[in-house]
Amino acid sequence: FVVPVHCIGARAILDFPDYVNFSAWPVKHTATQTLLVRNIGNKDATFSLAAQRPFSVSPSCGVLPVGESMQVTVEFTAPTTGDHVADLVLTYDTGEQVFVELHGVAVNANVRLDKSSLRIENTYISMANQRTLNIVNRSDVIVHYHWKLFATVEEESQQRTHYSTELSHEESVERERFLEECITDPTLRDKMSLLTRTYENRRRIVAGDGMLFTDDVFQIEPLEGEIWPNQSAEVAVIFKPQEAKTYQQLAYLDITGRESRLPLRLRGDGIGPNVQFSFEQLDMGNIFVGSIHTYEVVLANKGDIDAIFSILPNNTHFGLCFTFNPTEGIVLPD
């Protein structure tokens, strides 16, 4: 008869817990738990560790002798609010796998702007005006913030894709033009690698662009920073109008503790120079054909900034009969 004999050889056993729980943490904030793990088996443990987002684990692999201990760090960084569940997978060199359940809850923290809109006082063109607002952190963690140009990460990704597509098209056009030049001058082929490196560098710049807020008229300072718990940070908005018109713009605050970016509406009016003629109408009466008459009109600057002027040409039938001197210049404030 046959007697079956089953043997179990030396085996490594790491005493991970069955469950790791992260209590409610502000969204986008990194919560950390450090586990003290011991090899309670009778063989050195050669292993690897992996976790699904929004969890991460370090180290990712290692060797732990029998009876020794080590620290394993598990991090939880949720981009969205709500419950998040995933597995921490421990894989031994034998192929055996052990699963540790990870659970975390992300919530919106008490982080806000003290103003959702900012109306800047009327400002003369070529000059600047400034107002301030506060970012208030009433949470228990340090928050990091960035002023962004787009409302969501998806819009940023679409813009990067758009930039990359434009670069690819531009590179294709440049490459075709370059190859045509190489037909007449074969020595230029050695410079093809320079063209390729140029566009590779531009693609890396696009990929690494943080898409921070930028605008020709409104400036936000600082664009990024951090705020300690139960503190606030002052942000300056500078308005530099280029034309005499109303300007409106949206900026978005991406900050730890808030899932959605906080919008800030900016508005300001640009004011141009205030100039006046000495009279609005000039009646020249009856004039003989071919005769020349000269009149003086005073242009006065009633505003607070220099007025740069130029006379626009009038190409109508009778407009060509008039000339002005000077045709351009600067009128200083009275």
Side-chain angles (χ1 to χ4, degrees):
F1 57 91
V2 178
V3 178
V5 177
H6 299 280
C7 298
I8 299 177
R11 182 181 178 214
I13 302 175
L14 301 182
D15 62 343
F16 273 91
D18 296 328
Y19 184 80
V20 177
N21 180 46
F22 290 86
S23 57
W25 282 92
V27 65
K28 299 179 183 176
H29 176 73
T30 299
T32 302
Q33 285 199 34
T34 301
L35 309 176
L36 185 62
V37 178
R38 184 168 176 264
N39 184 356
I40 59 176
N42 50 15
K43 175 187 174 183
D44 290 352
T46 302
F47 65 93
S48 63
L49 295 169
Q52 299 172 340
R53 292 183 179 180
F55 301 93
S56 62
V57 61
S58 64
S60 59
C61 59
V63 178
L64 186 62
V66 176
E68 296 293 326
S69 300
M70 67 178 296
Q71 290 183 340
V72 175
T73 302
V74 182
E75 294 184 343
F76 170 55
T77 309
T80 57
T81 57
D83 290 345
H84 299 268
V85 179
D87 286 326
L88 169 63
V89 182
L90 166 64
T91 305
Y92 294 101
D93 58 346
T94 60
E96 179 185 2
Q97 289 187 324
V98 176
F99 296 87
V100 178
E101 183 179 346
L102 305 176
H103 178 259
V105 179
V107 297
N108 279 320
N110 187 5
V111 181
R112 60 183 177 83
L113 291 170
D114 68 345
K115 302 180 183 72
S116 60
S117 63
L118 206 60
R119 175 71 166 86
I120 301 178
E121 294 179 356
N122 297 347
T123 306
Y124 288 106
I125 58 176
S126 76
M127 301 187 73
N129 214 331
Q130 175 179 307
R131 284 197 62 185
T132 60
L133 70 152
N134 289 308
I135 306 172
V136 183
N137 177 18
R138 290 290 176 259
S139 70
D140 297 325
V141 300
I142 298 175
V143 300
H144 301 270
Y145 69 87
H146 305 79
W147 286 101
K148 297 282 192 172
L149 194 58
F150 298 98
T152 63
V153 176
E154 291 74 20
E155 289 183 19
E156 284 185 359
S157 298
Q158 291 175 3
Q159 189 63 30
R160 285 195 183 91
T161 302
H162 175 68
Y163 287 155
S164 297
T165 302
E166 285 187 340
L167 278 178
S168 297
H169 175 71
E170 185 179 335
E171 182 182 14
S172 177
V173 173
E174 284 288 320
R175 191 179 295 274
E176 290 180 4
R177 184 186 61 80
F178 189 79
L179 291 174
E180 289 177 358
E181 293 179 355
C182 289
I183 295 175
T184 57
D185 187 0
T187 60
L188 293 175
R189 290 185 178 274
D190 295 337
K191 297 182 179 180
M192 179 66 77
S193 59
L194 179 61
L195 178 66
T196 302
R197 284 198 301 271
T198 299
Y199 280 95
E200 285 178 352
N201 291 335
R202 292 178 66 181
R203 285 193 185 92
R204 279 195 289 269
I205 292 173
V206 170
D209 188 356
M211 296 290 178
L212 297 179
F213 178 82
T214 179
D215 187 75
D216 294 334
V217 175
F218 293 101
Q219 297 178 19
I220 299 178
E221 295 179 356
L223 281 173
E224 53 188 320
E226 66 178 26
I227 309 173
W228 284 73
N230 297 305
Q231 298 292 324
S232 62
E234 187 177 80
V235 176
V237 179
I238 302 169
F239 176 52
K240 295 181 178 179
Q242 299 174 352
E243 299 178 33
K245 67 176 187 179
T246 298
Y247 291 89
Q248 297 185 72
Q249 182 60 277
L250 272 171
Y252 299 92
L253 180 66
D254 185 11
I255 190 167
T256 305
R258 295 300 293 263
E259 177 179 354
S260 300
R261 296 176 178 178
L262 305 178
L264 174 65
R265 293 172 175 81
L266 304 174
R267 176 172 175 167
D269 290 321
I271 303 175
N274 180 15
V275 294
Q276 298 177 2
F277 284 110
S278 53
F279 44 83
E280 297 180 356
Q281 183 176 347
L282 178 60
D283 186 0
M284 300 179 183
N286 298 325
I287 297 176
F288 289 103
V289 175
S291 62
I292 298 177
H293 294 255
T294 302
Y295 303 90
E296 184 178 276
V297 179
V298 177
L299 183 62
N301 185 352
K302 302 296 184 181
D304 296 323
I305 61 173
D306 295 348
I308 302 174
F309 73 91
S310 61
I311 304 297
L312 299 178
N314 188 339
N315 296 323
T316 62
H317 179 70
F318 290 104
L320 297 174
C321 299
F322 295 89
T323 59
F324 297 88
N325 184 41
T327 58
E328 60 183 22
I330 300 177
V331 182
L332 300 179
D334 288 343

